Amino acid sequence: QLQLQQSGPGLVKPSETLSLTCTVSGGSIISRSYYWGWIRQPPGKGLECIGTVDYSGSTYYNPSLKSRVTMSVDTSKNQVSLKLSSVTAADTAVYYCASLFCGGACYSAYFDYWGHGTLVTVSS
Amino acid sequence: DIQMTQSPSALSASVGDRVTITCRASQSISNYLNWYQQKPGKAPELLIYEASRLQSGVPSRFSGSGSGTDFTFTITSLQPEDSATYYCQQSYTTPLYTFGQGTKLQIK
């Protein structure tokens, strides 16, 4: 069973870069069946998928955030990272990392393990 | 983009009741529809995948059905611990995954 441990600052200043790391245990991030996703949830609101990355570093970003997002992997540390640049108050949210199980060209894909979430507040 | 619309947005039911939540896609997504439960302050938890398959370890009172554009999530014999917000999520437009807006379920 995978466990995802998130780390990173809970407070970021406007215009700066949000950086979060997700350390995976209980399995390797080097997997043909798994991608690694970041999802965020503004306070009191719903879930938004920020993007996904696979073990080779291949990424997909939500078009609404694409210009500001960078995701990467460190296979030696079994970690996945998220960077979101030029943040504003609208980026205040709980950020989750999650494992995305992909079957059959990923049409069947679901987030089966989640980190605990990190509340990131954008404020000066 | 495919829009996912859940109904109702909120509901209240009593212990032992049967509860149904609907998720409608703006275009056909086959059976590529998942359901999650989120309790306050916690991460979402996968309950149902591919519209009707129960995730391992999830109680059998939870079930899902549907295909195409219309999907249903059902809890038979509602329990106090089922108080939560439920989300549907489509994976048809991989790798762009979208969630419904959520349905908040309260226990009377």
Side-chain angles (χ1 to χ4, degrees):
Chain A
Q1 184 166 344
L2 296 176
Q3 293 185 327
L4 285 67
Q5 181 68 37
Q6 299 178 218
S7 58
L11 181 64
V12 181
K13 291 182 168 57
S15 80
E16 295 190 345
T17 297
L18 176 161
S19 295
L20 296 173
T21 298
C22 178
T23 302
V24 179
S25 59
S28 173
I29 66 169
I30 301 175
S31 169
R32 293 189 182 276
S33 297
Y34 272 102
Y35 287 67
W36 307 94
W38 289 93
I39 299 102
R40 71 178 183 177
Q41 184 173 38
K45 297 189 177 181
L47 300 162
E48 178 184 38
C49 186
I50 300 170
T52 58
V53 60
D54 72 7
Y55 70 93
S56 71
S58 177
T59 56
Y60 175 83
Y61 303 141
N62 188 318
S64 68
L65 297 167
K66 185 176 182 179
S67 63
R68 299 193 292 130
V69 175
T70 303
M71 293 182 186
S72 60
V73 296
D74 185 334
T75 55
S76 67
K77 296 180 179 179
N78 230 32
Q79 289 179 337
V80 182
S81 296
L82 168 71
K83 293 186 186 299
L84 182 66
S85 65
S86 304
V87 297
T88 69
D91 295 310
T92 293
V94 176
Y95 287 75
Y96 295 101
C97 64
S99 58
L100 178 74
F101 180 82
C102 274
C106 285
Y107 285 108
S108 173
Y110 43 88
F111 296 102
D112 56 354
Y113 295 98
W114 294 66
H116 52 80
T118 301
L119 174 61
V120 179
T121 301
V122 179
S123 175
S124 55
Chain B
D1 293 1
I2 294 180
Q3 307 301 318
M4 307 301 295
T5 304
Q6 291 182 229
S7 61
S9 295
L11 76 157
S12 180
S14 300
V15 172
D17 283 355
R18 178 186 179 96
V19 169
T20 297
I21 298 170
T22 296
C23 181
R24 175 165 290 176
S26 58
Q27 64 187 74
S28 178
I29 57 170
S30 185
N31 69 330
Y32 299 123
L33 190 283
N34 310 311
W35 291 95
Y36 300 84
Q37 176 192 68
Q38 185 179 33
K39 296 183 178 180
K42 300 294 186 182
E45 177 184 342
L46 176 68
L47 300 180
I48 303 284
Y49 64 97
E50 293 178 8
S52 62
R53 295 179 181 268
L54 194 66
Q55 173 68 344
S56 176
V58 174
S60 59
R61 65 179 181 276
F62 296 101
S63 65
S65 64
S67 66
T69 60
D70 294 317
F71 300 85
T72 299
F73 172 80
T74 300
I75 308 173
T76 57
S77 191
L78 190 66
Q79 299 299 302
E81 61 267 30
D82 299 336
S83 177
T85 300
Y86 293 85
Y87 293 94
C88 61
Q89 173 244 321
Q90 65 85 16
S91 60
Y92 183 78
T93 56
T94 183
L96 177 60
Y97 307 110
T98 51
F99 292 87
Q101 82 278 15
T103 296
K104 187 173 183 178
L105 171 59
Q106 291 186 315
I107 310 297
K108 289 181 184 176

